[in-house]
Amino acid sequence: MLQILEHKRVDIALQIVAVQVEAYQEEARLIGFSDIPQLTENKENIMKSKEVFIGEMIEGKLAGVLSFEKEHGRLTICRLVVLPQYFRKGIGSRLLTHVLQRYSECECMVSTAERNTPAIKLYEAHQFSIIKHTVAADNLVLVTMKKNT
């Protein structure tokens, strides 16, 4: 079940952190880069965030999270994470579809690691195209993707 997450609550913030730590650890292994900033976030960082968080619950457990910011007609997806045991079950796609439908009038952008092939394929399946490559650190190239209108 998809729902808005009240990320300013301690218990919810802790659940978000738990999901993203597992997901970003897996991404770090995949892309060969361990300094992903979200791996060092704690509940206080989540609780202070100005992002909107939505999540999918499975049997009472938070299985996936998408957060975004909306400003001046632009929607920026900040994070899309799924617990590894729920990979390839459509959770990321459902979260993304929900946000894209709800904010269909907005230009939508997202960034991910160039080597994060599963994420790139997911975004491409939702009509995103790569518009820019940025060297973010040694051994890390980010791609910026924009949803085609």
Side-chain angles (χ1 to χ4, degrees):
M1 173 176 71
L2 294 180
Q3 62 187 57
I4 297 288
L5 300 174
E6 297 177 43
H7 67 283
K8 299 202 182 298
R9 287 180 33 192
V10 172
D11 61 325
I12 301 296
L14 286 168
Q15 290 177 55
I16 292 168
V17 168
V19 170
Q20 78 176 25
V21 164
E22 278 196 53
Y24 283 121
Q25 284 174 341
E26 189 64 30
E27 180 177 347
R29 282 189 286 279
L30 176 71
I31 67 172
F33 184 80
S34 60
D35 291 331
I36 298 172
Q38 290 86 349
L39 281 171
T40 62
E41 285 185 331
N42 57 34
K43 71 180 186 309
E44 288 80 14
N45 300 121
I46 297 297
M47 292 171 71
K48 291 177 187 174
S49 176
K50 295 182 194 282
E51 298 165 24
V52 175
F53 288 78
I54 64 168
E56 179 158 335
M57 305 294 285
I58 296 179
E59 298 176 359
K61 180 178 183 176
L62 186 60
V65 176
L66 182 150
S67 74
F68 64 90
E69 293 179 338
K70 182 180 176 280
E71 190 172 55
H72 306 298
R74 174 179 280 180
L75 186 79
T76 302
I77 297 170
C78 304
R79 68 190 87 216
L80 175 52
V81 291
V82 175
L83 284 173
Q85 68 254 39
Y86 295 111
F87 282 0
R88 293 169 193 71
K89 301 209 183 292
I91 294 170
S93 188
R94 282 192 296 278
L95 288 164
L96 188 55
T97 296
H98 175 79
V99 170
L100 294 175
Q101 287 176 347
R102 171 71 176 86
Y103 298 98
S104 61
E105 77 286 357
C106 293
E107 174 183 69
C108 188
M109 309 288 284
V110 66
S111 293
T112 191
E114 181 180 55
R115 288 183 293 226
N116 190 346
T117 306
I120 291 172
K121 285 182 179 180
L122 172 66
Y123 292 118
E124 287 175 340
H126 287 272
Q127 287 74 53
F128 282 77
S129 297
I130 296 172
I131 59 168
K132 184 170 97 175
H133 291 76
T134 305
V135 176
D138 286 344
N139 200 31
L140 179 66
V141 175
L142 297 178
V143 293
T144 300
M145 302 180 78
K146 180 178 176 184
K147 181 156 184 351
N148 303 319
T149 53

